Amino acid sequence: MNVPNHIGIIVDGNGRWAVKRGKSRSEGHLAGSKNLDTLCQYIFDKGVKVVSLYVFSTENFKRSDEEVNYLMDLFVKKFKEDFKKFSKKGIKIVFSGRRQPLKKEILDIIDDVTLQTKDNKNGILNFCLNYGSHAEIIDACKKMIEDKVAIDDVNEALFNKYLYNDLPNLDLLIRTGGELRLSNFMLYQAAYAELYFTNTLFPDFNKDEFDQALDSYNNRDRRFGGINYEKKNC
Ligand code: FPP
């Protein structure tokens, strides 16, 4: 079994999961957050080194104040309570996204968790929160200009350092919830990612469903633009 080094997940379908059950959308987010805990433990136990989760896009601020406030409170609560569990297992927690217009309460917990887990070496859990890929690329360019980077010094390794976090490229990108698009998630890092879309709504995306995604990944022929001469059809 070939285990991807970096997996990204677009955790979509929590609202629909709740509505289908006659519950509030918030209950769907809560169910999604519980599923994240179990799933991430499982994914790291499988040997995956980096997991990136799209938990709030810059565009998600267009939702009702009630939903946005619920999600922000949930993030604060979960980061306060649950990060210790990951930290104990040596997982470093990082955040990707713009700080504006996040409130001080969430920025403080983001800074605290980042600092407390910065020396952990067993894996990286990257929460993409108030994240958008276009914003990330533009912010990186602005910082490079601010730093007066010489044109001949610009290369992929340096550019990566200017992104929100210097992470390896995505190997596998999973989207739950049935939509067939990337919605501005890690577009630069997904250049050669294998894409896996499932209709399963995120709270139902359990270990078995994840194993199916892994099986699918293992059946892909990753050529990175080259040719696999060991394959008979080449
Ligand atoms: C996408 O839309 C999902 C979100 C905006 C939020 C996802 C957040 C969580 C699962 C909670 C994560 C918690 C922590 C602590 C990181 P949707 O699921 O609302 O989609 P839908 O309306 O299309 O069903």
Side-chain angles (χ1 to χ4, degrees):
M1 171 74 75
N2 187 10
V3 177
N5 186 45
H6 184 181
I7 296 186
I9 311 181
I10 303 177
V11 296
D12 198 12
N14 304 289
R16 278 169 287 159
W17 179 92
V19 171
K20 263 173 72 176
R21 286 163 177 75
K23 297 173 187 258
S24 67
R25 292 181 56 80
S26 300
E27 286 173 281
H29 295 314
L30 184 63
S33 75
K34 286 181 182 157
N35 190 37
L36 267 187
D37 286 349
T38 326
L39 195 64
C40 288
Q41 297 285 353
Y42 185 67
I43 296 176
F44 283 120
D45 288 347
K46 287 252 166 189
V48 174
K49 289 293 173 207
V50 188
V51 180
S52 289
L53 304 167
Y54 203 11
V55 294
F56 196 89
S57 72
T58 43
E59 291 76 24
N60 287 151
F61 273 111
K62 292 178 195 157
R63 296 188 178 200
S64 71
D65 286 353
E66 188 193 348
E67 185 164 349
V68 170
N69 290 337
Y70 178 84
L71 276 167
M72 293 299 153
D73 289 348
L74 181 62
F75 294 146
V76 171
K77 185 168 168 284
K78 296 292 279 185
F79 296 143
K80 270 188 187 155
E81 285 169 7
D82 289 347
F83 89 89
K84 294 189 186 87
K85 202 165 47 199
F86 288 103
S87 191
K88 267 189 197 143
K89 291 201 162 192
I91 304 295
K92 175 172 162 174
I93 299 180
V94 298
F95 296 85
S96 295
R98 276 192 178 153
R99 292 175 73 87
Q100 291 289 336
L102 296 177
K103 291 194 177 135
K104 186 176 179 309
E105 193 189 16
I106 189 146
L107 290 174
D108 285 350
I109 187 78
I110 282 177
D111 292 341
D112 191 35
V113 170
T114 307
L115 187 69
Q116 290 201 45
T117 65
K118 73 177 175 40
D119 296 323
N120 290 353
K121 299 272 187 275
N122 293 345
I124 300 174
L125 184 54
N126 173 32
F127 287 101
C128 297
L129 201 167
N130 193 26
Y131 177 86
S133 204
H134 287 181
E136 177 175 38
I137 292 167
I138 287 168
D139 289 352
C141 293
K142 284 184 174 172
K143 272 189 264 160
M144 286 170 83
I145 294 166
E146 251 172 36
D147 287 357
K148 299 189 172 36
V149 173
I151 195 160
D152 289 340
D153 290 343
V154 179
N155 55 35
E156 288 180 22
L158 184 90
F159 191 71
N160 237 31
K161 291 194 198 318
Y162 277 89
L163 295 173
Y164 294 134
N165 284 287
D166 187 2
L167 300 172
N169 283 327
L170 283 174
D171 298 297
L172 173 62
L173 196 167
I174 298 172
R175 180 173 189 147
T176 60
E179 310 289 0
L180 304 179
R181 55 177 171 259
L182 300 185
S183 299
N184 208 9
F185 177 62
M186 297 194 114
L187 303 181
Y188 184 80
Q189 298 87 337
Y192 275 102
E194 296 300 326
L195 306 180
Y196 183 84
F197 296 100
T198 170
N199 288 330
T200 304
L201 304 172
F202 185 69
D204 292 330
F205 189 76
N206 56 21
K207 294 174 184 176
D208 287 344
E209 296 266 348
F210 176 76
D211 284 343
Q212 286 176 38
L214 215 49
D215 283 347
S216 169
Y217 175 81
N218 270 276
N219 288 321
R220 310 283 176 95
D221 182 16
R222 301 193 80 200
R223 296 190 299 278
F224 298 94
I227 292 168
N228 188 346
Y229 290 103
E230 285 170 17
K231 287 241 161 175
K232 284 197 179 81
N233 59 353
C234 294

